[in-house]
Amino acid sequence: MSELIQAVIDSNEKADLRTFASDLRHQEKRYLLKNDILTAFAEYCHNHQKPENFFSSSNLGKLIYYTQEIIREDSNLCLIIRPKIASEEIYRLTEDLTVEQMPIQELLDVRDRFVNHFHPNEGDILELDFQPFYDYTPTIRDPKNIGKGVQYLNRYLSSKLFQDPKQWLEALFSFLRIHRYNGTQLMINERIQSPQQLSDQIKKAITFVSDRPSEEPFDRLRFVLQLMGFEPGWGNTAGRIHETLELLDQLSDSPDHQSLEAFLSRIPMVFRIVLVSPHGWFGQEGVLGRPDTGGQVVYVLDQARNLEKQLQEDLALAGLDVLNAEPKVIILSRLIANSDGTKCNQRLEKVHGTQNAWILRVPFREFNPKLTQNWITRFEIWPYLETYAIDSERELLAEFQGKPDLIVGNYSDGNLVAFLLSRRLKVTQCNIAHALEKSKYLFSNLYWQESDHNYHFSLHFTADLIAMNAANFIVSSTYQEIVGTPESVGQYESYKSFTMPDLYHVVHGIELFSPKFNVVPPGVNESVYFPYTRYEERIESDRDRIEKLLFTQEDPEHIFGTLDDPSKRPLFSMARLDRIKNLTGLAECFGMNAQLQERCNLILVAGKLRAEETTDHEERDQIEKLYQIIDQYNLHGKIRWLGVRLPKSDSGEIYRVIADRQGVFVQPALFEAFGLTILEAMITGLPTLATQFGGPLEIIQDKFNGFYINPTHLEETAERILEFVSKCDMNPNYWYEISTRAIDRVYSTYTWKIHTTKLLSLARIYGFWNFTSKEDREDLVRYLESLFYLLYKPRAKELMEEHLSR
């Protein structure tokens, strides 16, 4: 039995448990989530006049705190307890306080019966269980180390080296022999025929290069090193070559994880990278604020630029200038024939500011031109992805003149395409979720049948399961994206077990303790987003133009609202108009607080102004709701709503112009997987208040360099904003203190240099792991293919038939 339950039953609080359970049985709600449970318990404490500390310090209070869900079925209560991160215990509590532990399969049956979709006499339901495929791979033990997969893997590999040096030296030797660039041998040539000979030649080469000037270039040493058996790839100078050889020599004699990571990170094995992002309007101009675009496009473009830059640096340090080695990065996206004035109808477009990074757009096959020539929402593109992957493979092979070395999927659709491509090309696959929709839509798996017509979660979540288990490694922006916090379940954790009634049960959907998970937060484009105090880098004409746009310009086509007093402190937010981004919630919060309206103006940059201009039903609903809120609270003269699409340079200056007026950035999302706009605001020097649900918890240090808000509590959010504004009015230095700390936070932790160095290191280490472990993933991949062909494809075909009928 759970220690938490046992402690209650063994104490004089047993009667309280009985009474509280009885109260729950008489509630109208049969399915209680954590907030519901805490609210019910607070009412119980109040109604029974419990001491103040009973709520949090009693044994029953502790049990309630760790209870994630309660499902009432007849007179029994099903308790899902989460005593620690990434851990779950399930119990049935009867009326007489009998406690029975329940297996996960039984819990899934209870959930099915709750939504009246499952009847035991109708037969069993398909169970998906990935646990057996992780039984033979290394797993992390301590939850604190989840997301540090590469560190764990390095320790594991180096310990293997130590335990069986002969076997692992053989593996290192074989691994060094496989590297080539455009057919040219790298690292070692045929003159070195065995691990022992490699060890001997390393020592000779160390002696040779140690006698040369440290800065002597590789091309002067190349001939002698070649005779010893060493090809380009060890370094660009005698000093760099010496360091690399010493690392390998040290690995041979006394391996440790730092040396292994340092050595593998120097091997030139990544030259060509594909970043897959099919669904959105993927362009460099005129796309900000469109449905399915925004943050992900910014992320991928910045990542592409910085990956190319880091690869150029790495290849130069490896000494591959002698081969004129040039890296290439391709962003694989979708060609949209009716591109609405953007460049999304161009097959190939160079990424601005790069030498060899490109957007390659491949069209969906024209099953129905009325649909496939236009933008298709991310919720509806599933029928086209298999043929898209086949067509993209051909295009990529032509563009690269060979296979890529790494495929990085973005979002659920991109990750599925990455799986299909990597399976066919036998290439390392990396997944980046950005956001997992399952966490954003409450009960989306339980009630999938009711919402499948609009959201197609049956396809979406199946694609997620396939891609996340297929990936060689997964990059998340935050730790809690994987396993949440002590109070909340992580995005990936939500896939550990769940039911989709009448479709399947997921008994074990993902191994959270797998070393495939790595936290690698993105950076900010520092040429666009930089502190407002760098006046010498700002263009005065741009600043004046943006200031008029934000505060005074009249343009009924693109701007709603005229400010009565433009000099008030601006509260600013910028996001697309959908339910999760919750800009309407911020407007309502502002409208409910008269003091806030007296001191501030609300400035919103948010997509379109008119419902009839969008085909996205969520955006349309939010546009209509925002107008209703403005009228309901009479916000005319106090709000500006800009329905504009901005070039990136302008979006950077917008933050700075708001900072010039000592404004505040508010990010009110109901859930935010990471929060790129938060980094953009902070690096420009804008004090930021952001949602406490999701990634901002790890970006902001509350009350030090920013503030958390609970966007579901509008009055409390308004008070929090007002409190900050009031402190700034009383002490003008307070705004500058928070501003300066915000800038420092981003530069110390969230730069693209840190991100790309880590990502490329991961690609090399996981490439080495896949090669040396001889891990046979074929059984897992065959299982995933079965799910793809037997579950995913039939449902995708149904959606295709619906599309063809439109």
Side-chain angles (χ1 to χ4, degrees):
M1 187 191 299
S2 164
E3 292 179 7
L4 292 162
I5 298 177
Q6 192 71 58
V8 176
I9 289 176
D10 290 345
S11 72
N12 57 6
E13 296 172 22
K14 185 175 180 179
D16 288 298
L17 175 59
R18 187 188 304 278
T19 309
F20 180 57
S22 177
D23 288 354
L24 294 180
R25 289 187 185 97
H26 290 91
Q27 273 204 9
E28 187 178 341
K29 267 192 174 181
R30 290 172 49 224
Y31 202 129
L32 285 79
L33 298 177
K34 191 173 182 70
N35 281 345
D36 302 321
I37 298 165
L38 291 172
T39 301
F41 187 57
E43 288 177 9
Y44 172 83
C45 293
H46 174 75
N47 293 339
H48 292 82
Q49 298 181 334
K50 293 293 179 183
E52 277 188 28
N53 65 347
F54 189 84
F55 179 84
S56 55
S57 301
S58 65
N59 290 320
L60 182 55
K62 290 171 185 173
L63 170 63
I64 296 303
Y65 175 79
Y66 289 109
T67 301
Q68 203 70 30
E69 300 173 20
I70 295 177
I71 307 170
R72 176 166 58 84
E73 189 175 44
D74 301 325
S75 61
N76 297 324
L77 298 179
C78 176
L79 276 63
I80 296 93
I81 300 171
R82 191 169 174 263
K84 57 184 178 181
I85 280 175
S87 175
E88 184 178 85
E89 299 172 4
I90 310 150
Y91 299 94
R92 177 180 286 110
L93 183 68
T94 66
E95 259 186 300
D96 63 0
L97 296 193
T98 301
V99 180
E100 305 166 0
Q101 188 154 11
M102 296 169 58
I104 186 63
Q105 290 89 340
E106 199 169 334
L107 170 64
L108 299 179
D109 287 342
V110 169
R111 286 173 171 158
D112 281 350
R113 289 195 293 272
F114 174 77
V115 292
N116 299 318
H117 284 306
F118 180 75
H119 306 285
N121 61 343
E122 292 184 357
D124 293 332
I125 191 167
L126 173 65
E127 285 189 353
L128 305 183
D129 187 355
F130 291 92
Q131 183 58 59
F133 301 108
Y134 291 96
D135 284 344
Y136 306 102
T137 59
T139 52
I140 292 165
R141 291 189 184 133
D142 190 340
K144 291 197 299 291
N145 292 325
I146 291 173
K148 301 175 183 176
V150 77
Q151 296 176 24
Y152 175 84
L153 198 55
N154 279 331
R155 290 190 179 93
Y156 179 84
L157 289 171
S158 58
S159 69
K160 284 281 188 182
L161 278 166
F162 188 76
Q163 289 168 18
D164 192 346
K166 184 177 179 182
Q167 177 189 342
W168 282 86
L169 282 175
E170 177 72 42
L172 275 169
F173 168 68
S174 301
F175 187 64
L176 289 173
R177 295 177 75 178
I178 65 171
H179 299 296
R180 287 174 174 77
Y181 175 73
N182 286 350
T184 301
Q185 182 66 44
L186 303 177
M187 304 310 290
I188 60 175
N189 58 38
E190 70 283 351
R191 289 185 174 87
I192 297 176
Q193 292 289 320
S194 68
Q196 185 55 54
Q197 191 180 4
L198 174 63
S199 184
D200 295 340
Q201 292 300 96
I202 287 169
K203 289 176 170 52
K204 289 180 183 177
I206 288 172
T207 301
F208 167 66
V209 294
S210 61
D211 289 338
R212 313 299 299 180
S214 179
E215 296 304 314
E216 187 168 354
F218 166 70
D219 56 358
R220 294 188 191 171
L221 314 170
R222 184 177 182 182
F223 180 69
V224 176
L225 287 171
Q226 209 166 34
L227 289 175
M228 291 183 181
F230 298 99
E231 294 293 339
W234 296 90
N236 60 334
T237 64
R240 178 80 177 182
I241 295 166
H242 185 271
E243 289 173 8
T244 310
L245 289 166
E246 283 281 11
L247 281 170
L248 184 53
D249 192 44
Q250 185 177 334
L251 273 178
S252 304
D253 294 337
S254 54
D256 65 84
H257 65 276
Q258 291 102 332
S259 299
L260 182 63
E261 181 172 1
F263 176 68
L264 292 175
S265 295
R266 291 184 176 214
I267 297 180
M269 61 175 102
V270 180
F271 301 91
R272 306 178 183 96
I273 299 176
V274 182
L275 308 176
V276 189
S277 180
H279 68 257
W281 294 89
F282 204 104
Q284 300 184 77
E285 300 97 13
V287 295
L288 188 65
R290 289 177 183 270
D292 289 358
T293 309
Q296 185 176 320
V297 172
V298 172
Y299 179 110
V300 176
L301 280 170
D302 285 347
Q303 188 184 56
R305 290 189 189 93
N306 287 279
L307 276 171
E308 184 203 44
K309 186 177 178 182
Q310 190 61 49
L311 282 170
Q312 289 169 339
E313 184 181 315
D314 290 351
L315 296 181
L317 285 172
L320 296 194
D321 285 353
V322 296
L323 303 179
N324 295 317
E326 183 182 26
K328 187 168 188 174
V329 179
I330 288 179
I331 299 168
L332 177 64
S333 192
R334 194 193 146 213
L335 189 144
I336 305 171
N338 298 329
S339 60
D340 195 20
T342 71
K343 293 183 179 179
C344 294
N345 60 350
Q346 294 185 10
R347 177 184 175 273
L348 204 60
E349 182 185 359
K350 195 172 187 181
V351 175
H352 300 334
T354 68
Q355 293 180 25
N356 203 15
W358 304 83
I359 303 170
L360 172 65
R361 300 186 182 93
V362 177
F364 286 166
R365 292 187 189 176
E366 291 194 352
F367 299 100
N368 179 356
K370 284 191 296 185
L371 281 173
T372 53
Q373 290 190 2
N374 295 288
W375 168 77
I376 301 172
T377 168
R378 69 188 187 276
F379 295 114
E380 299 232 331
I381 65 167
W382 306 106
Y384 308 97
L385 295 182
E386 184 182 17
T387 51
Y388 176 79
I390 293 168
D391 296 343
S392 297
E393 178 188 2
R394 183 173 58 251
E395 298 281 348
L396 288 168
L397 290 172
E399 287 299 321
F400 281 130
Q401 295 295 297
K403 294 198 305 183
D405 304 303
L406 175 66
I407 298 175
V408 181
N410 290 274
Y411 191 72
S412 299
D413 59 318
N415 288 330
L416 185 69
V417 173
F419 159 68
L420 295 169
L421 284 170
S422 64
R423 173 64 169 156
R424 294 169 66 91
L425 295 171
K426 308 297 182 192
V427 173
T428 301
Q429 174 193 349
C430 165
N431 279 11
I432 302 177
H434 294 286
L436 290 163
E437 300 291 343
K438 188 170 173 295
S439 302
K440 291 161 63 173
Y441 294 85
L442 190 63
F443 292 138
S444 51
N445 58 291
L446 270 183
Y447 293 103
W448 70 272
Q449 286 167 304
E450 285 81 349
S451 59
D452 221 42
H453 180 71
N454 288 325
Y455 293 105
H456 305 287
F457 289 137
S458 59
L459 282 161
H460 205 133
F461 300 163
T462 305
D464 283 338
L465 283 170
I466 292 169
M468 66 177 64
N469 281 287
N472 297 107
F473 66 99
I474 295 172
V475 163
S476 73
S477 297
T478 61
Y479 172 83
Q480 60 99 44
E481 185 181 325
I482 309 169
V483 285
T485 68
E487 292 80 25
S488 62
V489 173
Q491 291 187 65
Y492 283 98
E493 189 179 1
S494 73
Y495 283 78
K496 189 176 179 183
S497 64
F498 64 95
T499 175
M500 300 192 80
D502 292 336
L503 187 61
Y504 54 68
H505 282 176
V506 177
V507 174
H508 194 287
I510 186 68
E511 178 51 72
L512 300 170
F513 290 84
S514 167
K516 71 165 61 181
F517 284 106
N518 291 273
V519 176
V520 188
V524 184
N525 185 334
E526 295 171 44
S527 64
V528 173
Y529 304 99
F530 53 84
Y532 76 101
T533 50
R534 293 188 190 169
Y535 297 109
E536 69 283 357
E537 296 177 42
R538 297 173 65 181
I539 299 169
E540 189 172 346
S541 59
D542 284 351
R543 182 171 59 186
D544 293 342
R545 176 173 54 82
I546 295 294
E547 187 156 303
K548 288 174 185 173
L549 178 72
L550 284 171
F551 300 106
T552 58
Q553 182 177 320
E554 293 187 13
D555 179 1
E557 189 70 23
H558 301 105
I559 301 172
F560 175 87
T562 302
L563 298 177
D564 293 340
D565 182 0
S567 67
K568 288 181 184 177
R569 191 188 300 271
L571 301 181
F572 174 64
S573 195
M574 179 163 57
R576 65 180 182 269
L577 271 169
D578 66 23
R579 186 182 68 83
I580 295 296
K581 292 300 181 184
N582 193 38
L583 290 187
T584 53
L586 176 59
E588 189 165 7
C589 160
F590 180 70
M592 292 168 66
N593 194 297
Q595 290 185 64
L596 206 51
Q597 294 171 46
E598 285 175 18
R599 301 195 190 187
C600 303
N601 290 316
L602 181 60
I603 315 290
L604 302 177
V605 175
K608 297 178 171 66
L609 293 183
R610 293 167 189 84
E612 62 271 16
E613 292 176 355
T614 180
T615 57
D616 184 271
H617 67 275
E618 265 199 29
E619 185 176 33
R620 186 166 54 248
D621 291 347
Q622 291 294 301
I623 290 171
E624 292 170 354
K625 186 176 179 180
L626 188 50
Y627 281 121
Q628 289 169 6
I629 289 167
I630 291 169
D631 289 339
Q632 178 184 348
Y633 293 99
N634 191 22
L635 296 180
H636 301 280
K638 304 166 188 175
I639 188 171
R640 290 265 285 180
W641 171 6
L642 280 64
V644 293
R645 296 172 191 153
L646 298 166
K648 186 183 280 190
S649 57
D650 279 359
S651 66
E653 190 60 23
I654 274 182
Y655 290 115
R656 288 187 286 272
V657 167
I658 297 291
D660 288 337
R661 297 188 176 214
Q662 293 195 12
V664 182
F665 182 73
V666 185
Q667 203 272 32
L670 299 175
F671 177 82
E672 181 61 65
F674 179 64
L676 202 53
T677 55
I678 293 167
L679 292 186
E680 293 167 358
M682 289 174 70
I683 199 172
T684 56
L686 260 184
T688 298
L689 293 94
T691 179
Q692 67 185 40
F693 301 120
L697 281 176
E698 292 179 41
I699 299 174
I700 290 173
Q701 295 157 316
D702 192 33
K703 300 178 183 176
F704 180 74
N705 49 36
F707 305 89
Y708 303 145
I709 56 173
N710 182 339
T712 63
H713 296 164
L714 298 182
E715 292 181 5
E716 178 188 301
T717 296
E719 288 298 328
R720 200 86 199 267
I721 300 170
L722 186 62
E723 181 185 0
F724 174 70
V725 169
S726 299
K727 282 187 177 180
C728 293
D729 289 344
M730 290 187 290
N731 176 13
N733 283 332
Y734 186 61
W735 187 95
Y736 291 107
E737 287 171 13
I738 300 297
S739 171
T740 302
R741 291 175 192 156
I743 294 168
D744 292 344
R745 173 66 173 165
V746 179
Y747 278 120
S748 67
T749 313
Y750 298 100
T751 69
W752 280 112
K753 173 70 174 174
I754 296 170
H755 174 94
T756 52
T757 301
K758 184 72 178 288
L759 181 62
L760 291 172
S761 177
L762 291 173
R764 294 171 183 127
I765 291 161
Y766 283 93
F768 177 67
W769 162 251
N770 291 335
F771 179 84
T772 56
S773 68
K774 307 301 181 189
E775 179 189 355
D776 186 6
R777 284 166 38 95
E778 192 63 22
D779 52 356
L780 169 61
V781 175
R782 288 295 184 188
Y783 187 69
L784 295 171
E785 283 182 339
S786 298
L787 299 186
F788 180 78
Y789 287 107
L790 299 177
L791 276 177
Y792 179 91
K793 279 196 71 171
R795 301 201 70 82
K797 185 180 178 183
E798 288 177 14
L799 181 55
M800 174 70 79
E801 288 168 356
E802 182 196 320
H803 283 189
L804 290 173
S805 68
R806 290 183 186 178

